[in-house]
Short mmCIF file of all heavy atoms in Angstrom, two decimals:
data_model
loop_
_atom_site.label_atom_id
_atom_site.label_comp_id
_atom_site.label_asym_id
_atom_site.label_seq_id
_atom_site.Cartn_x
_atom_site.Cartn_y
_atom_site.Cartn_z
N ASP U 1 -32.68 38.28 2.03
CA ASP U 1 -31.90 37.03 2.58
C ASP U 1 -30.55 37.50 3.12
O ASP U 1 -30.03 36.92 3.99
CB ASP U 1 -31.69 36.08 1.45
CG ASP U 1 -33.07 35.36 1.01
OD1 ASP U 1 -33.93 35.36 1.84
OD2 ASP U 1 -33.07 34.98 -0.10
N LEU U 2 -29.97 38.64 2.48
CA LEU U 2 -28.70 39.14 2.84
C LEU U 2 -28.72 40.60 2.97
O LEU U 2 -29.16 41.33 2.07
CB LEU U 2 -27.60 38.74 1.85
CG LEU U 2 -26.21 39.22 2.11
CD1 LEU U 2 -25.65 38.76 3.44
CD2 LEU U 2 -25.29 38.86 0.95
N LEU U 3 -28.31 41.13 4.07
CA LEU U 3 -28.17 42.59 4.31
C LEU U 3 -26.70 42.90 4.47
O LEU U 3 -26.03 42.31 5.34
CB LEU U 3 -28.97 43.02 5.53
CG LEU U 3 -28.95 44.55 5.84
CD1 LEU U 3 -29.50 45.40 4.74
CD2 LEU U 3 -29.60 44.85 7.18
N ILE U 4 -26.21 43.81 3.66
CA ILE U 4 -24.79 44.18 3.76
C ILE U 4 -24.73 45.61 4.32
O ILE U 4 -25.34 46.55 3.77
CB ILE U 4 -24.06 44.15 2.38
CG1 ILE U 4 -24.18 42.71 1.81
CG2 ILE U 4 -22.61 44.60 2.53
CD1 ILE U 4 -23.61 42.58 0.41
N ILE U 5 -23.98 45.77 5.44
CA ILE U 5 -23.82 47.01 6.12
C ILE U 5 -22.35 47.35 6.13
O ILE U 5 -21.55 46.66 6.75
CB ILE U 5 -24.40 46.93 7.60
CG1 ILE U 5 -25.87 46.46 7.55
CG2 ILE U 5 -24.29 48.33 8.28
CD1 ILE U 5 -26.41 46.16 8.88
N ASP U 6 -21.96 48.39 5.54
CA ASP U 6 -20.55 48.75 5.35
C ASP U 6 -20.21 49.93 6.33
O ASP U 6 -21.00 50.92 6.39
CB ASP U 6 -20.28 49.17 3.90
CG ASP U 6 -18.76 49.22 3.61
OD1 ASP U 6 -17.96 48.56 4.27
OD2 ASP U 6 -18.46 50.04 2.73
N GLU U 7 -19.09 49.81 6.93
CA GLU U 7 -18.53 50.87 7.75
C GLU U 7 -19.28 51.31 9.00
O GLU U 7 -19.58 52.48 9.19
CB GLU U 7 -18.26 52.13 6.85
CG GLU U 7 -17.16 51.95 5.92
CD GLU U 7 -15.75 51.83 6.54
OE1 GLU U 7 -15.59 52.26 7.64
OE2 GLU U 7 -14.84 51.29 5.89
N ILE U 8 -19.69 50.31 9.81
CA ILE U 8 -20.34 50.68 11.06
C ILE U 8 -19.20 51.34 11.94
O ILE U 8 -18.10 50.87 12.00
CB ILE U 8 -20.86 49.36 11.82
CG1 ILE U 8 -22.05 48.96 11.11
CG2 ILE U 8 -21.04 49.67 13.30
CD1 ILE U 8 -23.22 49.88 11.21
N GLY U 9 -19.52 52.46 12.52
CA GLY U 9 -18.56 53.23 13.28
C GLY U 9 -17.85 54.32 12.57
O GLY U 9 -17.05 55.08 13.19
N TYR U 10 -18.10 54.43 11.27
CA TYR U 10 -17.52 55.55 10.51
C TYR U 10 -17.99 56.88 11.18
O TYR U 10 -17.21 57.79 11.34
CB TYR U 10 -17.92 55.45 9.08
CG TYR U 10 -17.56 56.68 8.33
CD1 TYR U 10 -16.26 56.96 7.89
CD2 TYR U 10 -18.63 57.53 7.77
CE1 TYR U 10 -15.89 58.07 7.15
CE2 TYR U 10 -18.19 58.66 7.03
CZ TYR U 10 -16.90 58.89 6.75
OH TYR U 10 -16.55 59.99 5.99
N ARG U 11 -19.24 56.92 11.55
CA ARG U 11 -19.79 58.00 12.31
C ARG U 11 -20.55 57.44 13.48
O ARG U 11 -21.14 56.40 13.40
CB ARG U 11 -20.78 58.82 11.44
CG ARG U 11 -20.08 59.52 10.33
CD ARG U 11 -21.01 60.27 9.40
NE ARG U 11 -21.92 61.22 10.16
CZ ARG U 11 -22.98 61.79 9.66
NH1 ARG U 11 -23.30 61.52 8.49
NH2 ARG U 11 -23.67 62.60 10.48
N LYS U 12 -20.54 58.20 14.63
CA LYS U 12 -21.32 57.80 15.79
C LYS U 12 -22.83 57.91 15.46
O LYS U 12 -23.16 58.88 14.67
CB LYS U 12 -20.95 58.68 16.98
CG LYS U 12 -19.52 58.38 17.48
CD LYS U 12 -19.24 59.22 18.66
CE LYS U 12 -17.83 58.89 19.10
NZ LYS U 12 -17.38 59.66 20.26
N MET U 13 -23.61 57.11 15.95
CA MET U 13 -25.09 57.15 15.76
C MET U 13 -25.79 57.91 16.90
O MET U 13 -25.40 57.75 18.05
CB MET U 13 -25.70 55.75 15.71
CG MET U 13 -25.27 54.99 14.52
SD MET U 13 -26.25 53.46 14.47
CE MET U 13 -25.31 52.62 13.13
N ASP U 14 -26.74 58.68 16.50
CA ASP U 14 -27.53 59.32 17.62
C ASP U 14 -28.52 58.29 18.14
O ASP U 14 -28.57 57.20 17.64
CB ASP U 14 -28.28 60.56 17.03
CG ASP U 14 -29.31 60.31 16.01
OD1 ASP U 14 -29.84 59.17 15.89
OD2 ASP U 14 -29.61 61.21 15.24
N GLU U 15 -29.27 58.69 19.19
CA GLU U 15 -30.05 57.73 19.86
C GLU U 15 -31.09 57.07 18.97
O GLU U 15 -31.39 55.92 18.99
CB GLU U 15 -30.81 58.42 21.04
CG GLU U 15 -31.58 57.53 21.92
CD GLU U 15 -32.22 58.28 23.08
OE1 GLU U 15 -31.87 59.40 23.29
OE2 GLU U 15 -33.12 57.69 23.72
N THR U 16 -31.73 57.89 18.06
CA THR U 16 -32.75 57.36 17.13
C THR U 16 -32.15 56.34 16.18
O THR U 16 -32.72 55.31 15.91
CB THR U 16 -33.43 58.54 16.39
OG1 THR U 16 -33.93 59.45 17.32
CG2 THR U 16 -34.48 58.02 15.43
N ALA U 17 -31.01 56.72 15.54
CA ALA U 17 -30.35 55.82 14.64
C ALA U 17 -29.97 54.49 15.31
O ALA U 17 -30.18 53.40 14.72
CB ALA U 17 -29.13 56.46 13.99
N ALA U 18 -29.44 54.60 16.50
CA ALA U 18 -29.06 53.36 17.25
C ALA U 18 -30.29 52.50 17.54
O ALA U 18 -30.23 51.26 17.41
CB ALA U 18 -28.33 53.82 18.58
N HIS U 19 -31.37 53.12 17.90
CA HIS U 19 -32.63 52.38 18.14
C HIS U 19 -33.11 51.69 16.90
O HIS U 19 -33.49 50.44 16.92
CB HIS U 19 -33.73 53.36 18.64
CG HIS U 19 -35.08 52.80 18.71
ND1 HIS U 19 -35.50 51.90 19.65
CD2 HIS U 19 -36.16 52.90 17.90
CE1 HIS U 19 -36.70 51.48 19.45
NE2 HIS U 19 -37.15 52.10 18.36
N PHE U 20 -33.17 52.37 15.76
CA PHE U 20 -33.58 51.75 14.56
C PHE U 20 -32.58 50.64 14.08
O PHE U 20 -33.02 49.60 13.57
CB PHE U 20 -33.68 52.76 13.40
CG PHE U 20 -34.89 53.60 13.56
CD1 PHE U 20 -34.82 55.01 13.35
CD2 PHE U 20 -36.11 53.06 13.81
CE1 PHE U 20 -35.92 55.80 13.40
CE2 PHE U 20 -37.24 53.90 13.93
CZ PHE U 20 -37.20 55.26 13.68
N PHE U 21 -31.34 50.82 14.31
CA PHE U 21 -30.34 49.82 13.97
C PHE U 21 -30.57 48.60 14.74
O PHE U 21 -30.55 47.43 14.27
CB PHE U 21 -28.91 50.30 14.15
CG PHE U 21 -27.84 49.44 13.67
CD1 PHE U 21 -27.55 49.36 12.32
CD2 PHE U 21 -27.17 48.54 14.48
CE1 PHE U 21 -26.54 48.48 11.80
CE2 PHE U 21 -26.22 47.61 14.01
CZ PHE U 21 -25.90 47.65 12.69
N PHE U 22 -30.81 48.77 16.08
CA PHE U 22 -31.12 47.57 16.93
C PHE U 22 -32.34 46.87 16.45
O PHE U 22 -32.42 45.65 16.35
CB PHE U 22 -31.32 47.96 18.39
CG PHE U 22 -31.78 46.79 19.25
CD1 PHE U 22 -30.88 45.88 19.65
CD2 PHE U 22 -33.07 46.71 19.62
CE1 PHE U 22 -31.33 44.80 20.39
CE2 PHE U 22 -33.54 45.63 20.30
CZ PHE U 22 -32.71 44.67 20.73
N GLN U 23 -33.38 47.65 16.07
CA GLN U 23 -34.60 46.99 15.57
C GLN U 23 -34.32 46.14 14.33
O GLN U 23 -34.89 45.01 14.21
CB GLN U 23 -35.71 48.08 15.24
CG GLN U 23 -36.36 48.55 16.44
CD GLN U 23 -37.52 49.40 15.95
OE1 GLN U 23 -37.37 50.56 15.66
NE2 GLN U 23 -38.75 48.84 15.92
N ILE U 24 -33.57 46.64 13.47
CA ILE U 24 -33.23 45.90 12.23
C ILE U 24 -32.46 44.59 12.52
O ILE U 24 -32.81 43.54 12.07
CB ILE U 24 -32.35 46.74 11.26
CG1 ILE U 24 -33.20 47.91 10.67
CG2 ILE U 24 -31.76 45.93 10.12
CD1 ILE U 24 -32.40 49.00 10.00
N ILE U 25 -31.43 44.75 13.39
CA ILE U 25 -30.64 43.53 13.80
C ILE U 25 -31.50 42.52 14.47
O ILE U 25 -31.48 41.33 14.30
CB ILE U 25 -29.41 43.92 14.57
CG1 ILE U 25 -28.46 44.82 13.72
CG2 ILE U 25 -28.70 42.76 15.12
CD1 ILE U 25 -28.03 44.18 12.41
N ALA U 26 -32.32 43.04 15.45
CA ALA U 26 -33.16 42.11 16.21
C ALA U 26 -34.24 41.43 15.39
O ALA U 26 -34.45 40.24 15.58
CB ALA U 26 -33.88 42.92 17.34
N GLU U 27 -34.81 42.08 14.42
CA GLU U 27 -35.83 41.47 13.58
C GLU U 27 -35.11 40.53 12.53
O GLU U 27 -35.79 39.57 12.11
CB GLU U 27 -36.59 42.55 12.81
CG GLU U 27 -37.56 43.21 13.77
CD GLU U 27 -38.60 44.04 13.04
OE1 GLU U 27 -38.97 43.63 11.93
OE2 GLU U 27 -39.07 45.05 13.65
N ARG U 28 -33.92 40.71 12.27
CA ARG U 28 -33.18 39.79 11.28
C ARG U 28 -32.60 38.60 12.04
O ARG U 28 -32.21 37.62 11.41
CB ARG U 28 -32.09 40.61 10.57
CG ARG U 28 -32.54 41.62 9.57
CD ARG U 28 -31.42 42.09 8.76
NE ARG U 28 -30.78 41.03 7.91
CZ ARG U 28 -31.26 40.57 6.86
NH1 ARG U 28 -32.44 41.05 6.30
NH2 ARG U 28 -30.72 39.65 6.09
N TYR U 29 -32.42 38.69 13.34
CA TYR U 29 -31.81 37.71 14.16
C TYR U 29 -32.38 36.26 13.86
O TYR U 29 -33.61 36.09 13.93
CB TYR U 29 -31.90 38.02 15.62
CG TYR U 29 -31.36 36.97 16.54
CD1 TYR U 29 -29.92 36.65 16.52
CD2 TYR U 29 -32.13 36.36 17.46
CE1 TYR U 29 -29.43 35.78 17.32
CE2 TYR U 29 -31.62 35.38 18.27
CZ TYR U 29 -30.20 35.10 18.23
OH TYR U 29 -29.70 34.16 19.11
N GLU U 30 -31.53 35.43 13.51
CA GLU U 30 -31.86 33.96 13.06
C GLU U 30 -32.84 33.86 11.94
O GLU U 30 -33.40 32.82 11.72
CB GLU U 30 -32.34 33.25 14.33
CG GLU U 30 -31.26 33.10 15.41
CD GLU U 30 -31.59 32.09 16.47
OE1 GLU U 30 -32.78 32.05 16.91
OE2 GLU U 30 -30.68 31.43 16.94
N LYS U 31 -32.99 35.00 11.18
CA LYS U 31 -33.89 34.93 10.02
C LYS U 31 -33.22 35.28 8.70
O LYS U 31 -33.59 34.79 7.66
CB LYS U 31 -35.03 35.92 10.20
CG LYS U 31 -35.96 35.52 11.33
CD LYS U 31 -37.06 36.64 11.46
CE LYS U 31 -37.83 36.30 12.77
NZ LYS U 31 -38.65 37.43 13.17
N GLY U 32 -32.11 36.05 8.80
CA GLY U 32 -31.49 36.53 7.63
C GLY U 32 -30.03 36.82 7.83
O GLY U 32 -29.63 37.15 8.96
N SER U 33 -29.14 36.66 6.82
CA SER U 33 -27.77 36.87 7.02
C SER U 33 -27.41 38.36 6.97
O SER U 33 -28.05 39.16 6.27
CB SER U 33 -26.99 36.13 5.90
OG SER U 33 -27.27 34.73 6.02
N VAL U 34 -26.32 38.69 7.63
CA VAL U 34 -25.83 40.04 7.64
C VAL U 34 -24.30 39.99 7.46
O VAL U 34 -23.59 39.18 8.04
CB VAL U 34 -26.09 40.77 9.02
CG1 VAL U 34 -25.49 42.20 9.03
CG2 VAL U 34 -27.57 40.84 9.31
N ILE U 35 -23.79 40.74 6.51
CA ILE U 35 -22.39 41.04 6.36
C ILE U 35 -22.16 42.45 6.81
O ILE U 35 -22.87 43.37 6.36
CB ILE U 35 -21.89 40.82 4.92
CG1 ILE U 35 -22.02 39.38 4.47
CG2 ILE U 35 -20.44 41.32 4.79
CD1 ILE U 35 -21.73 39.14 3.03
N LEU U 36 -21.26 42.57 7.78
CA LEU U 36 -21.03 43.91 8.31
C LEU U 36 -19.51 44.18 8.38
O LEU U 36 -18.76 43.32 8.69
CB LEU U 36 -21.60 43.83 9.76
CG LEU U 36 -21.68 45.25 10.52
CD1 LEU U 36 -22.95 45.21 11.22
CD2 LEU U 36 -20.56 45.37 11.44
N THR U 37 -19.17 45.45 7.95
CA THR U 37 -17.72 45.86 8.09
C THR U 37 -17.56 47.01 9.09
O THR U 37 -18.54 47.74 9.21
CB THR U 37 -17.20 46.22 6.67
OG1 THR U 37 -17.82 47.46 6.31
CG2 THR U 37 -17.35 45.17 5.66
N SER U 38 -16.51 47.08 9.74
CA SER U 38 -16.22 48.07 10.65
C SER U 38 -14.77 48.17 10.79
O SER U 38 -14.02 47.19 10.78
CB SER U 38 -16.92 47.83 12.01
OG SER U 38 -16.56 48.97 12.87
#
Protein backbone atom coordinates (compact mmCIF):
# COMPACT_ATOMS: atom_id res chain seq x y z
CA ASP A 1 0.00 0.00 0.00
CA LEU A 2 2.93 2.33 0.73
CA LEU A 3 6.41 2.35 -0.77
CA ILE A 4 9.02 4.58 0.86
CA ILE A 5 12.02 5.54 -1.26
CA ASP A 6 14.71 7.50 0.54
CA GLU A 7 17.41 9.65 -1.05
CA ILE A 8 16.65 9.62 -4.77
CA GLY A 9 19.60 11.34 -6.38
CA TYR A 10 22.16 10.32 -3.79
CA ARG A 11 23.77 8.42 -6.66
CA LYS A 12 23.09 8.63 -10.37
CA MET A 13 21.29 5.63 -11.80
CA ASP A 14 22.57 3.65 -14.72
CA GLU A 15 20.22 2.93 -17.63
CA THR A 16 19.04 -0.39 -16.21
CA ALA A 17 18.28 1.01 -12.75
CA ALA A 18 16.44 3.97 -14.27
CA HIS A 19 14.36 1.60 -16.41
CA PHE A 20 13.40 -0.55 -13.42
CA PHE A 21 12.63 2.54 -11.33
CA PHE A 22 10.27 3.77 -14.05
CA GLN A 23 8.58 0.36 -14.16
CA ILE A 24 7.99 0.46 -10.41
CA ILE A 25 6.58 3.99 -10.47
CA ALA A 26 4.46 3.30 -13.58
CA GLU A 27 2.97 0.13 -12.09
CA ARG A 28 2.21 1.87 -8.78
CA TYR A 29 0.66 4.90 -10.51
CA GLU A 30 -2.84 5.49 -9.12
CA LYS A 31 -2.66 2.15 -7.26
CA GLY A 32 -0.36 2.71 -4.28
CA SER A 33 1.16 5.54 -2.31
CA VAL A 34 4.80 6.56 -2.53
CA ILE A 35 6.80 8.65 -0.08
CA LEU A 36 9.99 9.80 -1.71
CA THR A 37 12.83 11.92 -0.39
CA SER A 38 15.52 13.69 -2.39
